[in-house]
Amino acid sequence: MAITLREQYLEGFVSSHEMDCMAPQVAAAAAQLRQHTGAGSDFHGWLTLPRDYDKEELARIHAAAEKIRSDTDVLVVIGIGGSYLGARSAIELLRSPYYNALGKDGPAIYFAGCNLSGSYLDEILALCEGKRVSLNVISKSGTTTEPALAFRVLRGMMEQRYGKEAAGRIYCTTDRARGTLKSLADREGWQTFVIPDDVGGRYSVLTAVGLLPMAVAGIDIDAVLAGAQKAMQELANEDFSANACYRYAAIRNILLRRGKAIEIYASYEPRFTQMGEWLKQLYGESEGKDGKGLFPASVAFTTDLHSMGQFIQDGSRNLFETVIDFITPAADLTVEEDPENLDGLNFLSGMAMRQINRRAMQGTILAHTRGGVPNLVLEVPAINEEEYGYMVYFFMLACGISGYLLGVNPFDQPGVEAYKKNMFALLGKPGYEDLRQELLAKLGE
Ligand code: PA5
């Protein structure tokens, strides 16, 4: 278990002397993180979480997941941003993007509170019809509008259906002591799980935020934590030449300084698609501030070679690709010989889909690098719980270090407030009257 960084496709894009220059900078950034001297040091808890996780809380997560698996057909997970993307991406990667259709051994899991669409919520309600339902509402602040509103609607449905018994079907993951959700949970007697004070939303996948929905989906969360702990130990290696995470952080910053301002996460496994979304939040929200940062994008190949492939090969040359290469897929098929060969595909007979996909990957990397797009490859041996835990820790650590290399606070998100203020003002929330007048005038209303 480990991630191997392949740097051979960076030739001509990143030179060895740039890497040498970067080594002491990475060491300084890592020290800011490990000695808690960098900006946002109140939110460094994720760094040691895989080792220091509250074992009693973990036992409660296991017990709640068992109960949900035994008395529930549909679990609705309510949350947004860091309070939902981790669980969703883990379920799709480790079980299947078709988990709900295939997931015979566990309840269906739907995600709500991650948008403000009435039709989306209406469909979630429809999916709950005639089913035994439980809710897991997740919000660190306990006040985020999207999940709060979805929870109001879904809680209404639960209370109408189950009366007082609804309380035994609502699981709340939030702050230890603060926030509306915590007060409500205490008043109503819902079981609560804690998001530690020193772990921010997008770094919280290895807390109850991610672990409870994962366990309900039948994912071995002990193995996830074991993988993360292995990463925590291995990636503490201060030898720059041997630390794939440190080198990845260095390379993406060198490329940014060379004008490659867009990082595209690319995988050839469709199961990785939601993890691309998780990565976009992790890096976008952590680095995109103070007028700086790489813009994170993601593609699912080979699908997107037939859409974004043209742009990547031939468009603006401000991109680089980070390819996540799973050596062993979750399952495989072999192409059979067809005596008629009408489709002309017999040249592939006897090959595993994995081999064909690999050739597509290699061909694409060579084409894209020749087209002026640097590619770095992160090789992951397999798709399983340990590797997943290792990967999330790897990416969170690289993100923290990259943020400090860039000179930003990778643990805050002040920019998110701008839309909220305008939305509240336009919706007539008390306290926003002046801004409301100003915005309505701009809208010509
Ligand atoms: O990373 C973050 O802090 C954010 O993306 C939050 O996770 C997101 O805004 C949801 O916040 P909360 O969990 O407080 O509802």
Side-chain angles (χ1 to χ4, degrees), residues 136-379:
N136 179 199
V137 56
I138 308 173
S139 176
K140 179 156 187 190
S141 62
T143 54
T144 308
T145 310
E146 289 89 341
L149 205 49
F151 185 46
R152 179 188 274 214
V153 172
L154 288 160
R155 197 183 137 205
M157 176 271 289
M158 294 292 281
E159 286 171 354
Q160 207 170 28
R161 189 184 295 184
Y162 296 107
K164 286 202 176 333
E165 305 297 307
R169 292 181 164 275
I170 297 177
Y171 302 83
C172 175
T173 307
T174 189
D175 187 83
R176 192 180 306 278
R178 284 173 302 230
T180 318
L181 197 53
K182 175 64 183 154
S183 321
L184 259 175
D186 288 346
R187 200 189 71 181
E188 301 291 327
W190 305 325
Q191 184 170 5
T192 55
F193 297 93
V194 172
I195 310 172
D197 287 347
D198 56 359
V199 180
R202 57 192 174 276
Y203 294 84
S204 70
V205 60
L206 299 177
T207 71
V209 170
L211 296 179
L212 179 57
M214 281 187 227
V216 173
I219 291 169
D220 179 351
I221 56 173
D222 296 318
V224 168
L225 287 170
Q229 195 171 339
K230 174 111 192 284
M232 184 185 137
Q233 285 155 359
E234 286 186 2
L235 303 176
N237 182 358
E238 295 302 331
D239 176 1
F240 182 68
S241 66
N243 191 321
C245 181
Y246 286 15
R247 293 184 75 78
Y248 168 58
I251 290 165
R252 58 197 299 285
N253 280 275
I254 291 171
L255 290 169
L256 173 63
R257 291 171 195 184
R258 280 178 169 239
K260 305 289 183 192
I262 299 172
E263 176 173 20
I264 305 176
Y265 291 101
S267 171
Y268 289 72
E269 280 301 331
R271 284 172 174 240
F272 190 81
T273 303
Q274 280 301 319
M275 210 161 159
E277 298 302 308
W278 178 80
L279 281 166
K280 284 183 334 203
Q281 187 208 355
L282 179 64
Y283 282 89
E285 219 172 12
S286 298
E287 293 190 315
K289 52 197 69 160
D290 306 335
K292 296 193 260 192
L294 278 156
F295 183 86
S298 66
V299 287
F301 287 158
T302 60
T303 312
D304 291 334
L305 287 173
H306 299 263
S307 55
M308 297 304 288
Q310 168 61 37
F311 192 110
I312 298 171
Q313 185 67 47
D314 234 4
S316 321
R317 299 299 73 187
N318 55 353
L319 323 163
F320 72 94
E321 286 174 283
T322 298
V323 178
I324 293 87
D325 174 16
F326 294 102
I327 301 299
T328 311
D332 208 358
L333 294 172
T334 300
V335 179
E336 308 249 320
E337 175 87 8
D338 178 349
E340 292 194 86
N341 195 27
L342 290 177
D343 54 13
L345 290 176
N346 268 356
F347 72 102
L348 299 174
S349 296
M351 283 180 90
M353 290 292 287
R354 159 176 50 89
Q355 295 169 294
I356 300 169
N357 207 13
R358 174 152 300 278
R359 286 302 194 201
M361 182 190 80
Q362 291 165 335
T364 306
I365 291 173
L366 294 175
H368 287 180
T369 46
R370 174 168 288 206
V373 177
N375 268 242
L376 52 110
V377 179
L378 296 171
E379 232 176 61

